[in-house]
Amino acid sequence: MLKILVVEDNIIQCKQLVNFISKSILELKLYSMTFTGDEALEIIKNEDVDIIILDLVLPDISGIKILEYIQKNKLYNYRNSIIIISGEAYKHPELVKNQYINNCFQKPINFDVLIKNLENLIYEKKNNIIKEKINVELSYLKFNMSYKGTKYLAECIYLLYNRELSKVNLSKEIYPILGKKYNTNSINIKCNIFQACNNSYFECEQDILEKYFNLPICAKPKTMELIIEIIRHIK
């Protein structure tokens, strides 16, 4: 479950916002609602939240100052994770290009539009979490992350994450999707993945392979076997 921080100095509006989000999106957990910039900054400095709803006009430091702190300290976990809701949003058109801003809304807010925006952001964040977990597993198995084949394999795993794996044919169903995306053919996708898997097998320590695949003597796994194990470890 993702955690959200709501920063709004109007207590009534803040509670209305929190209540509406809580009723509409069960996948979001309220981490905190704060009414001052100092309180928000303390949380941002010391805690880990996934999404921030931020007013720009606060009684102490402004929302702009909070954004400047995040940028200056390169808190990349907040990239594309901040939603601005402010009556002053129109005064800051430059925020649209800010890498930390997901969207800007002018008050009074349309709650239905906000909820749709949050749902899209949650979907994107969950997908990014899955992709990051896939990359962690591939790195652990000594895949070279700069190889094309590793990139293709990571996308295969992502595409298959929620599929019934016993019914999947990589060559017929998955490789053509990647071939179309990267303007190449399925054979090239397959060969690149095979080479990446082959290099990983010889680079990775034998005890890691044996433990990962739960075999006393680890024979080189086939691509589909590898995908199944990685998904099993992630889930």
Side-chain angles (χ1 to χ4, degrees):
M1 183 175 289
L2 300 181
K3 295 178 290 187
I4 186 169
L5 167 65
V6 179
V7 187
E8 166 63 68
D9 66 321
N10 186 307
I11 297 175
I12 294 175
Q13 289 183 15
C14 187
K15 289 182 177 179
Q16 287 176 340
L17 184 60
V18 168
N19 288 337
F20 195 85
I21 292 172
S22 300
K23 291 177 182 178
S24 303
I25 306 179
L26 300 179
E27 297 171 285
L28 267 183
K29 177 183 178 181
L30 176 66
Y31 180 84
S32 181
M33 55 181 180
T34 65
F35 312 118
T36 69
D38 281 332
E39 290 175 340
L41 202 53
E42 194 66 23
I43 291 173
I44 290 168
K45 287 178 179 179
N46 300 300
E47 306 297 336
D48 184 22
V49 296
D50 301 292
I51 298 171
I52 300 172
I53 289 181
L54 179 65
D55 190 5
L56 296 180
V57 181
L58 300 167
D60 44 11
I61 61 173
S62 69
I64 295 297
K65 291 295 183 182
I66 292 173
L67 288 170
E68 289 174 353
Y69 174 85
I70 291 172
Q71 289 178 295
K72 182 179 178 180
N73 290 276
K74 299 180 180 179
L75 304 182
Y76 294 133
N77 54 307
Y78 292 113
R79 279 186 294 193
N80 194 38
S81 300
I82 301 173
I83 296 175
I84 301 296
I85 299 178
S86 175
E88 302 288 316
Y90 71 96
K91 294 183 179 180
H92 302 277
E94 74 280 0
L95 293 180
V96 176
K97 297 181 180 180
N98 189 305
Q99 65 174 322
Y100 295 93
I101 304 298
N102 175 265
N103 211 337
C104 293
F105 293 100
Q106 184 75 19
K107 291 181 179 179
I109 184 67
N110 182 319
F111 284 112
D112 291 331
V113 174
L114 174 63
I115 292 302
K116 184 63 178 177
N117 192 104
L118 281 169
E119 288 173 342
N120 291 337
L121 179 53
I122 291 167
Y123 178 79
E124 181 180 335
K125 278 190 161 291
K126 284 190 170 183
N127 287 343
N128 288 339
I129 289 170
I130 293 171
K131 290 176 181 178
E132 181 59 32
K133 287 182 177 180
I134 290 170
N135 288 337
V136 168
E137 296 300 311
L138 291 173
S139 296
Y140 177 71
L141 294 173
K142 299 300 187 291
F143 275 84
N144 188 320
M145 303 307 290
S146 66
Y147 284 178
K148 279 186 178 180
T150 302
K151 178 172 69 175
Y152 296 156
L153 177 60
E155 293 211 32
C156 280
I157 298 168
Y158 174 72
L159 289 171
L160 293 172
Y161 185 78
N162 288 315
R163 293 277 297 272
E164 175 54 60
L165 299 180
S166 63
K167 300 178 180 179
V168 173
N169 185 307
L170 290 174
S171 295
K172 292 182 179 180
E173 299 178 53
I174 306 302
Y175 294 161
I177 295 175
L178 298 181
K180 184 176 181 179
K181 178 176 180 178
Y182 293 104
N183 194 29
T184 185
N185 56 60
S186 297
I187 295 176
N188 189 40
I189 297 291
K190 182 177 181 179
C191 289
N192 275 276
I193 289 177
F194 176 84
Q195 188 62 51
C197 292
N198 198 52
N199 290 342
S200 163
Y201 179 76
F202 290 109
E203 288 291 330
C204 193
E205 294 86 347
Q206 192 69 23
D207 60 331
I208 290 178
L209 292 172
E210 291 175 4
K211 183 178 179 180
Y212 200 89
F213 293 95
N214 197 28
L215 293 171
I217 299 177
C218 189
K220 181 182 173 184
K222 296 179 180 179
T223 302
M224 196 62 194
E225 293 172 338
L226 176 66
I227 290 172
I228 290 171
E229 280 303 311
I230 288 177
I231 291 176
R232 186 178 70 81
H233 277 77
I234 291 173
K235 289 186 173 181

